Amino acid sequence: MAREFTRRMTMGKWLEGKPVADRIREQVKVEVAQHQKTLDQVPGLVGVLVGDNPASQSYLRMKEKACLNLGLYGRIQVLAADISRADLKERIEGLNADNRVDGILVQLPLPKGHDTQDVISWIDPAKDVDGIHPINLGLLLQNRPCLSACTPRGCLELIKSTGTVLEGRDVVIIGRSLIVGKPLAIMITNENGTVTVCHSKTRDLAGIAARADILVAAMGKPGFVGPEFVKEGAVVIDVGSNAVSDKAVVRKLFGVDPKREKEIDDKGYTWVGDVDPRVIEKASWLTPSPGGVGPLTIAMLMRNTLDAFKRRRGL
Ligand code: NAP
């Protein structure tokens, strides 16, 4: 069975997200409590859900729960999928004007008919805790202080937690989305890594990836990145988070895994990353999925909301 084989032959270590995320969450919690005591104010985050996509609902509930656990003010604003452009703009402008709100997060993807870039551009950049407003992306390019995207920040924290230094390292990122691949490429360039960004038109993807000291997969293709993509001893970060309902796909990657098969029976899907778990036999570190990057994304959202709160008050 593939899973048993993986356990026996393991060379690398699983890079779990929870311990790294817990450290960040604890720091945020302590600082929020201090602000509550001295200012009688806490950072506030509003998640905007347009429509009723179940995955988006569950992501936002996790974020709301994280806020409550760390002492932040967290709220979800639910809007109809067919809300007009003018009404949606007015709602976001209302949040921009609300002083209790330090962070505004529009959960993506938006339902059909809404122009994502248009909607993001309405958010006050000082409250753009997802770090995807054009102003924040521009500041990131200039390597100046800004609110920057949570998932790439989480990837950096994970890489650094292994003791890996980015300076001078060859880093390959598979995926060039605005929320993951592109901002991560800028962040790593700002830290003096040498970055190659790959995408669906890249030729010899496995050959390029196999030259990386650090490989990041953010493509949304379950188990796509196999051992042939990985240099011996590389640090591999699996951003992918794919709901897979086909047991044959799961068996090919994990062998017979009763826990995952039960999840498919109960929920209809199991979460699978972009990286084949057998990569652990070549990598020095590999993040599991789920349980790797995901916890860091939420912890970084909390940190960004706290940062926004402080900047808006000149602290
Ligand atoms: P996205 O917007 O769909 O972008 C996917 C990227 O992968 C695109 O740049 C695409 O290339 C590239 N790609 C797709 N198939 C490829 C192939 N066969 N070969 C090479 N490149 C390929 O996705 P995303 O929003 O960045 O998310 C990527 C994954 O990360 C998803 O599984 C998502 O669920 C997950 N994610 C996880 C978290 C977390 O917190 N754990 C956060 C965000 C995203 P083109 O540009 O050429 O189309």
Side-chain angles (χ1 to χ4, degrees):
M1 291 190 302
R3 196 53 164 165
E4 289 305 313
F5 180 68
T6 298
R7 284 209 191 98
R8 279 201 312 274
M9 298 294 290
T10 291
M11 282 174 48
K13 294 186 189 136
W14 290 104
L15 178 49
E16 303 283 345
K18 191 171 178 301
V20 185
D22 282 350
R23 274 201 297 278
I24 295 161
R25 291 162 64 104
E26 193 49 38
Q27 288 162 1
V28 171
K29 191 173 177 178
V30 167
E31 228 184 295
V32 168
Q34 278 164 359
H35 293 308
Q36 165 88 72
K37 214 162 137 188
T38 53
L39 301 173
D40 197 23
Q41 289 174 10
V42 294
L45 173 68
V46 174
V48 178
L49 175 67
V50 185
D52 56 3
N53 179 314
S56 294
Q57 279 174 353
S58 109
Y59 292 144
L60 276 181
R61 271 199 298 270
M62 281 195 288
K63 291 166 184 172
E64 186 186 34
K65 198 170 146 210
C67 282
L68 301 178
N69 286 340
L70 304 190
L72 291 85
Y73 164 75
R75 178 161 64 86
I76 301 175
Q77 189 167 101
V78 183
L79 303 172
D82 62 354
I83 186 169
S84 71
R85 183 180 184 277
D87 285 350
L88 180 52
K89 187 162 188 243
E90 198 181 307
R91 292 302 190 108
I92 290 178
E93 285 169 351
L95 295 173
N96 286 342
D98 185 341
N99 207 33
R100 284 171 312 169
V101 178
D102 299 288
I104 303 168
L105 180 154
V106 176
Q107 188 65 46
L108 303 177
L110 289 169
K112 280 202 179 73
H114 297 282
D115 179 336
T116 303
Q117 297 314 325
D118 211 20
V119 175
I120 297 301
S121 73
W122 300 332
I123 300 173
D124 177 351
K127 297 189 177 190
D128 165 41
V129 282
D130 252 350
I132 51 177
H133 187 284
I135 295 272
N136 282 317
L137 286 171
L139 289 169
L140 182 65
L141 266 176
Q142 293 177 336
N143 201 7
R144 288 164 67 194
C146 61
L147 290 170
S148 55
C150 303
T151 302
R153 279 189 79 185
C155 293
L156 281 191
E157 287 293 327
L158 281 166
I159 294 165
K160 289 178 182 174
S161 76
T162 66
T164 304
V165 177
L166 283 161
E167 184 162 323
R169 295 301 172 100
D170 289 327
V171 183
V172 172
I173 302 168
I174 312 180
R176 57 175 165 180
S177 72
L178 263 187
I179 192 90
V180 188
K182 282 181 183 169
L184 181 59
I186 303 165
M187 287 178 200
I188 293 177
T189 304
N190 289 345
E191 300 228 8
N192 299 321
T194 304
V195 184
T196 305
V197 180
C198 301
H199 44 77
S200 65
K201 308 290 185 290
T202 298
R203 287 181 286 176
D204 187 22
L205 185 61
I208 293 171
R211 296 203 289 268
D213 302 312
I214 301 163
L215 175 63
V216 181
M219 51 200 310
K221 295 271 181 279
F224 190 96
V225 174
E228 72 280 15
F229 284 68
V230 178
K231 178 162 100 176
E232 206 70 53
V235 175
V236 182
I237 306 294
D238 186 358
V239 181
S241 182
N242 309 291
V244 172
S245 43
D246 184 344
K247 285 187 185 171
V249 173
V250 170
R251 282 187 189 168
K252 208 170 145 205
L253 292 169
F254 302 96
V256 176
D257 182 331
K259 193 170 159 241
R260 284 184 181 274
E261 297 204 5
K262 186 168 183 313
E263 269 179 346
I264 295 178
D265 291 337
D266 294 348
K267 290 193 301 187
Y269 60 86
T270 180
W271 292 110
V272 174
D274 288 345
V275 178
D276 184 321
R278 280 163 283 226
V279 160
I280 193 78
E281 291 155 26
K282 269 181 113 176
S284 57
W285 293 94
L286 168 61
T287 58
S289 180
V293 175
L296 265 299
T297 298
I298 296 188
M300 284 304 174
L301 177 65
M302 300 299 113
R303 160 120 328 264
N304 268 359
T305 307
L306 174 58
D307 287 350
F309 169 91
K310 286 161 65 181
R311 282 204 194 122
R312 294 182 60 246
R313 287 162 182 77
L315 298 172

